[in-house]
Amino acid sequence: MDTLAMHISNGIINGPVAAIFAALALAALAFCVMRGRADLDDRLAPMAGLVAAFIFAVQMLNFPIFTAGVSGHLLGGALAALLVGPWVGALCVAVVLIVQALVFGDGGVAMLGLNITNMALLGTAAAYLLIALLLRVLPRTPAGLAVTAFVSALVSVVVASQGFVLQYWLGGTTDLGGNLTGLAGTMAFAHLLIGIGEGLITATTVVTVAKVRPDLVYALRALKPVTPAPAVPVAGGAR
């Protein structure tokens, strides 16, 4: 627990729980593939590759969180959800996590299901739910899009961290002496600070893309603004 890393290493969670989450992650990714096929077009397919490559590159850059004694990096769930949608976005983040585990040893291979569940599935889902809400409330200006990106990215990081807390409660290999609440609080605080960095990177990237090519931002295309219903005229003489 000293490093508070989101990339879970081998041995932190026991085998049975890791196997259950591996099966859940595999089923969820298969569902994302089926749903994502409907979204793929000439714009989304190359954009998905660019998003995965960008997330992979930026995750290599760590920024220190001095007050928490840790360093953080982009998770990418909100960024992917905004640019390529929740289904393809989850697949992009999952591909990055798989490559990192197999090639760079970042996160245990046996823990892949846990890491994919937290960062690719929970993080992306939480981000897109907030995006869908905020884009219907805030104006679709650069400022409104920046706020949407920042808030959704920050919340997605904290949600992903609490996914780890749940998994540790189910199958953690070290006895915390009943101090699971302390673990949850520590993870939430550290990743709240990390989420601020994530939010700034996400907001800057998405607003930059939207200013140049707004048609490449999936959320702006897919989430239509709410239009008020037309007023129904009252017939003359009606009582």
Side-chain angles (χ1 to χ4, degrees):
M1 300 304 101
D2 293 336
T3 59
L4 299 173
M6 278 300 302
H7 291 268
I8 304 171
S9 302
N10 288 336
I12 293 180
I13 308 294
N14 65 37
V17 171
I20 291 171
F21 276 93
L24 290 174
L26 185 61
L29 291 178
F31 183 74
C32 288
V33 169
M34 291 189 295
R35 291 297 301 268
R37 286 178 179 174
D39 292 334
L40 285 176
D41 54 24
D42 293 340
R43 289 174 298 186
L44 194 62
M47 194 65 179
L50 291 173
V51 167
F54 180 79
I55 292 173
F56 181 84
V58 177
Q59 281 198 4
M60 296 296 182
L61 304 175
N62 281 20
F63 48 89
I65 308 297
F66 297 109
T67 58
V70 298
S71 63
H73 62 70
L74 184 83
L75 295 187
L79 176 66
L82 279 160
L83 294 180
V84 295
W87 315 113
V88 178
L91 293 172
C92 289
V93 178
V95 168
V96 171
L97 295 174
I98 291 170
V99 172
Q100 287 179 335
L102 296 179
V103 178
F104 296 97
D106 197 356
V109 175
M111 304 290 113
L112 257 177
L114 301 163
N115 288 320
I116 288 174
T117 298
N118 294 338
M119 290 180 274
L121 301 177
L122 288 179
T124 305
Y128 196 73
L129 288 174
L130 265 177
I131 292 164
L133 172 64
L134 293 175
L135 283 182
R136 284 173 166 82
V137 176
L138 298 175
R140 298 197 173 201
T141 60
L145 185 60
V147 171
T148 298
F150 180 85
V151 173
S152 60
L154 188 153
V155 172
S156 71
V157 172
V158 176
V159 169
S161 74
Q162 297 308 297
F164 167 75
V165 175
L166 171 64
Q167 292 161 353
Y168 200 86
W169 174 65
L170 293 172
T173 55
T174 303
D175 185 11
L176 297 180
N179 193 26
L180 192 69
T181 303
L183 173 63
T186 303
M187 290 289 288
F189 175 71
H191 287 85
L192 179 65
L193 299 176
I194 292 171
I196 294 173
E198 171 115 4
L200 293 174
I201 295 172
T202 302
T204 302
T205 304
V206 173
V207 170
T208 301
V209 173
K211 285 182 177 179
V212 179
R213 289 286 303 274
D215 59 303
L216 294 181
V217 180
Y218 175 93
L220 294 179
R221 300 196 314 267
L223 299 171
K224 305 299 182 185
V226 177
T227 55
V232 178
V234 178
R239 297 185 180 181

